[in-house]
Short mmCIF file of all heavy atoms in Angstrom, two decimals:
data_model
loop_
_atom_site.label_atom_id
_atom_site.label_comp_id
_atom_site.label_asym_id
_atom_site.label_seq_id
_atom_site.Cartn_x
_atom_site.Cartn_y
_atom_site.Cartn_z
N ASN A 22 18.69 -71.05 -24.64
CA ASN A 22 19.66 -71.62 -23.70
C ASN A 22 19.96 -70.58 -22.68
O ASN A 22 20.06 -70.89 -21.44
CB ASN A 22 20.98 -72.06 -24.38
CG ASN A 22 20.72 -73.27 -25.28
OD1 ASN A 22 19.76 -74.07 -25.00
ND2 ASN A 22 21.59 -73.50 -26.23
N ARG A 23 20.13 -69.31 -23.02
CA ARG A 23 20.44 -68.25 -22.03
C ARG A 23 19.31 -68.09 -21.06
O ARG A 23 19.53 -67.91 -19.85
CB ARG A 23 20.70 -67.01 -22.77
CG ARG A 23 21.20 -65.88 -21.88
CD ARG A 23 21.53 -64.65 -22.63
NE ARG A 23 22.74 -64.88 -23.38
CZ ARG A 23 23.29 -63.96 -24.18
NH1 ARG A 23 22.71 -62.75 -24.28
NH2 ARG A 23 24.40 -64.25 -24.91
N LYS A 24 18.09 -68.13 -21.52
CA LYS A 24 16.93 -68.01 -20.70
C LYS A 24 16.90 -69.15 -19.68
O LYS A 24 16.58 -68.98 -18.43
CB LYS A 24 15.63 -68.04 -21.52
CG LYS A 24 15.36 -66.81 -22.19
CD LYS A 24 14.07 -66.88 -23.06
CE LYS A 24 13.78 -65.62 -23.78
NZ LYS A 24 12.54 -65.65 -24.55
N ALA A 25 17.18 -70.41 -20.12
CA ALA A 25 17.18 -71.58 -19.25
C ALA A 25 18.29 -71.46 -18.16
O ALA A 25 18.05 -71.74 -16.96
CB ALA A 25 17.50 -72.83 -20.04
N ASP A 26 19.48 -70.86 -18.64
CA ASP A 26 20.60 -70.66 -17.67
C ASP A 26 20.20 -69.64 -16.64
O ASP A 26 20.52 -69.80 -15.37
CB ASP A 26 21.85 -70.27 -18.42
CG ASP A 26 22.40 -71.43 -19.24
OD1 ASP A 26 22.09 -72.56 -19.03
OD2 ASP A 26 23.26 -71.05 -20.18
N GLU A 27 19.61 -68.56 -17.08
CA GLU A 27 19.20 -67.48 -16.22
C GLU A 27 18.17 -68.03 -15.19
O GLU A 27 18.24 -67.66 -13.98
CB GLU A 27 18.61 -66.32 -16.97
CG GLU A 27 19.59 -65.51 -17.76
CD GLU A 27 19.00 -64.45 -18.57
OE1 GLU A 27 17.74 -64.29 -18.63
OE2 GLU A 27 19.78 -63.58 -19.13
N ALA A 28 17.26 -68.87 -15.61
CA ALA A 28 16.29 -69.43 -14.71
C ALA A 28 16.94 -70.34 -13.61
O ALA A 28 16.56 -70.37 -12.45
CB ALA A 28 15.20 -70.23 -15.58
N ALA A 29 17.87 -71.21 -14.09
CA ALA A 29 18.63 -72.11 -13.17
C ALA A 29 19.42 -71.20 -12.15
O ALA A 29 19.43 -71.58 -11.00
CB ALA A 29 19.56 -72.94 -13.96
N ILE A 30 20.12 -70.13 -12.65
CA ILE A 30 20.88 -69.27 -11.74
C ILE A 30 19.91 -68.66 -10.72
O ILE A 30 20.28 -68.57 -9.53
CB ILE A 30 21.64 -68.21 -12.59
CG1 ILE A 30 22.74 -68.84 -13.44
CG2 ILE A 30 22.19 -67.16 -11.61
CD1 ILE A 30 23.40 -67.95 -14.41
N THR A 31 18.80 -68.23 -11.14
CA THR A 31 17.82 -67.58 -10.30
C THR A 31 17.40 -68.58 -9.16
O THR A 31 17.28 -68.26 -7.95
CB THR A 31 16.62 -67.07 -11.09
OG1 THR A 31 17.01 -66.12 -12.07
CG2 THR A 31 15.62 -66.38 -10.15
N GLU A 32 17.17 -69.79 -9.62
CA GLU A 32 16.69 -70.83 -8.66
C GLU A 32 17.79 -71.16 -7.70
O GLU A 32 17.52 -71.25 -6.47
CB GLU A 32 16.35 -72.07 -9.46
CG GLU A 32 15.72 -73.22 -8.54
CD GLU A 32 15.41 -74.46 -9.41
OE1 GLU A 32 15.51 -74.39 -10.61
OE2 GLU A 32 14.97 -75.44 -8.69
N LEU A 33 19.04 -71.31 -8.09
CA LEU A 33 20.14 -71.52 -7.27
C LEU A 33 20.38 -70.38 -6.26
O LEU A 33 20.66 -70.60 -5.08
CB LEU A 33 21.44 -71.84 -8.01
CG LEU A 33 21.43 -73.14 -8.84
CD1 LEU A 33 22.71 -73.23 -9.73
CD2 LEU A 33 21.37 -74.30 -7.86
N THR A 34 20.22 -69.15 -6.78
CA THR A 34 20.44 -68.03 -5.93
C THR A 34 19.35 -67.96 -4.78
O THR A 34 19.68 -67.69 -3.60
CB THR A 34 20.23 -66.68 -6.76
OG1 THR A 34 21.25 -66.73 -7.81
CG2 THR A 34 20.44 -65.47 -5.87
N GLN A 35 18.11 -68.33 -5.18
CA GLN A 35 17.14 -68.37 -4.21
C GLN A 35 17.44 -69.44 -3.11
O GLN A 35 17.24 -69.24 -1.89
CB GLN A 35 15.78 -68.69 -4.82
CG GLN A 35 15.23 -67.50 -5.69
CD GLN A 35 13.98 -67.86 -6.45
OE1 GLN A 35 13.54 -69.10 -6.44
NE2 GLN A 35 13.33 -66.80 -7.03
N LYS A 36 17.86 -70.69 -3.54
CA LYS A 36 18.20 -71.74 -2.62
C LYS A 36 19.35 -71.35 -1.71
O LYS A 36 19.39 -71.60 -0.47
CB LYS A 36 18.50 -72.98 -3.39
CG LYS A 36 17.42 -73.62 -4.07
CD LYS A 36 17.86 -74.89 -4.83
CE LYS A 36 16.61 -75.56 -5.39
NZ LYS A 36 17.05 -76.84 -6.11
N LEU A 37 20.34 -70.63 -2.21
CA LEU A 37 21.49 -70.18 -1.48
C LEU A 37 21.06 -69.22 -0.46
O LEU A 37 21.56 -69.18 0.66
CB LEU A 37 22.55 -69.60 -2.49
CG LEU A 37 23.83 -69.11 -1.74
CD1 LEU A 37 24.53 -70.25 -1.05
CD2 LEU A 37 24.78 -68.49 -2.76
N THR A 38 20.18 -68.33 -0.81
CA THR A 38 19.71 -67.28 0.09
C THR A 38 19.00 -68.00 1.26
O THR A 38 19.15 -67.58 2.43
CB THR A 38 18.73 -66.35 -0.62
OG1 THR A 38 19.40 -65.73 -1.75
CG2 THR A 38 18.14 -65.27 0.32
N LEU A 39 18.22 -69.00 0.98
CA LEU A 39 17.56 -69.70 2.05
C LEU A 39 18.48 -70.43 2.96
O LEU A 39 18.37 -70.42 4.22
CB LEU A 39 16.53 -70.79 1.40
CG LEU A 39 15.36 -70.15 0.68
CD1 LEU A 39 14.55 -71.24 0.02
CD2 LEU A 39 14.43 -69.42 1.66
N LEU A 40 19.56 -70.95 2.34
CA LEU A 40 20.62 -71.62 3.16
C LEU A 40 21.31 -70.69 4.03
O LEU A 40 21.62 -70.97 5.21
CB LEU A 40 21.57 -72.36 2.24
CG LEU A 40 21.05 -73.59 1.49
CD1 LEU A 40 22.09 -74.16 0.54
CD2 LEU A 40 20.66 -74.71 2.57
N LEU A 41 21.66 -69.54 3.61
CA LEU A 41 22.34 -68.52 4.35
C LEU A 41 21.47 -68.05 5.47
O LEU A 41 22.00 -67.57 6.55
CB LEU A 41 22.77 -67.37 3.42
CG LEU A 41 23.87 -67.72 2.43
CD1 LEU A 41 24.07 -66.47 1.50
CD2 LEU A 41 25.16 -68.08 3.18
N ASP A 42 20.23 -68.10 5.29
CA ASP A 42 19.30 -67.60 6.36
C ASP A 42 19.23 -68.70 7.46
O ASP A 42 18.81 -68.36 8.66
CB ASP A 42 17.92 -67.34 5.79
CG ASP A 42 17.94 -66.11 4.92
OD1 ASP A 42 18.88 -65.20 5.07
OD2 ASP A 42 17.02 -65.90 4.07
N ASP A 43 19.64 -69.88 7.17
CA ASP A 43 19.62 -71.00 8.19
C ASP A 43 20.75 -70.77 9.18
O ASP A 43 21.94 -70.70 8.74
CB ASP A 43 19.76 -72.27 7.44
CG ASP A 43 19.48 -73.50 8.45
OD1 ASP A 43 19.54 -73.34 9.67
OD2 ASP A 43 19.13 -74.54 7.94
N LYS A 44 20.41 -70.75 10.50
CA LYS A 44 21.46 -70.43 11.59
C LYS A 44 22.44 -71.57 11.70
O LYS A 44 23.58 -71.31 11.98
CB LYS A 44 20.79 -70.26 12.93
CG LYS A 44 19.89 -68.93 12.92
CD LYS A 44 19.32 -68.81 14.23
CE LYS A 44 18.54 -67.50 14.32
NZ LYS A 44 17.95 -67.21 15.62
N LYS A 45 22.00 -72.83 11.42
CA LYS A 45 22.94 -73.93 11.53
C LYS A 45 24.05 -73.74 10.41
O LYS A 45 25.23 -74.02 10.75
CB LYS A 45 22.18 -75.22 11.32
CG LYS A 45 21.23 -75.56 12.47
CD LYS A 45 20.61 -76.91 12.19
CE LYS A 45 19.62 -77.31 13.34
NZ LYS A 45 18.94 -78.60 13.14
N ILE A 46 23.62 -73.39 9.36
CA ILE A 46 24.53 -73.21 8.23
C ILE A 46 25.50 -72.02 8.51
O ILE A 46 26.65 -72.07 8.26
CB ILE A 46 23.78 -72.94 6.93
CG1 ILE A 46 22.99 -74.18 6.52
CG2 ILE A 46 24.78 -72.65 5.82
CD1 ILE A 46 23.74 -75.45 6.33
N GLN A 47 24.97 -71.02 9.18
CA GLN A 47 25.75 -69.89 9.52
C GLN A 47 26.90 -70.25 10.51
O GLN A 47 28.03 -69.81 10.43
CB GLN A 47 24.91 -68.72 10.13
CG GLN A 47 24.05 -68.13 9.11
CD GLN A 47 23.17 -66.96 9.72
OE1 GLN A 47 23.22 -66.78 10.98
NE2 GLN A 47 22.42 -66.31 8.83
N LYS A 48 26.55 -71.17 11.58
CA LYS A 48 27.48 -71.60 12.49
C LYS A 48 28.59 -72.43 11.82
O LYS A 48 29.76 -72.31 12.15
CB LYS A 48 26.87 -72.42 13.57
CG LYS A 48 25.98 -71.58 14.58
CD LYS A 48 25.33 -72.46 15.61
CE LYS A 48 24.50 -71.72 16.58
NZ LYS A 48 23.86 -72.49 17.61
#
């Protein structure tokens, strides 16, 4: 379960990073 949670967190972190890189989102 911990491995699955870590994988999900990693995936969300990556998505969040992409979102933050989006200028529209920054505005």
Side-chain angles (χ1 to χ4, degrees):
N22 292 335
R23 183 176 292 180
K24 286 180 180 180
D26 291 342
E27 288 178 352
I30 291 171
T31 300
E32 183 180 357
L33 291 173
T34 301
Q35 290 175 351
K36 288 180 178 183
L37 179 60
T38 300
L39 290 176
L40 290 174
L41 291 175
D42 288 341
D43 190 339
K44 292 181 178 183
K45 291 180 178 182
I46 296 301
Q47 290 178 353
K48 289 179 180 182

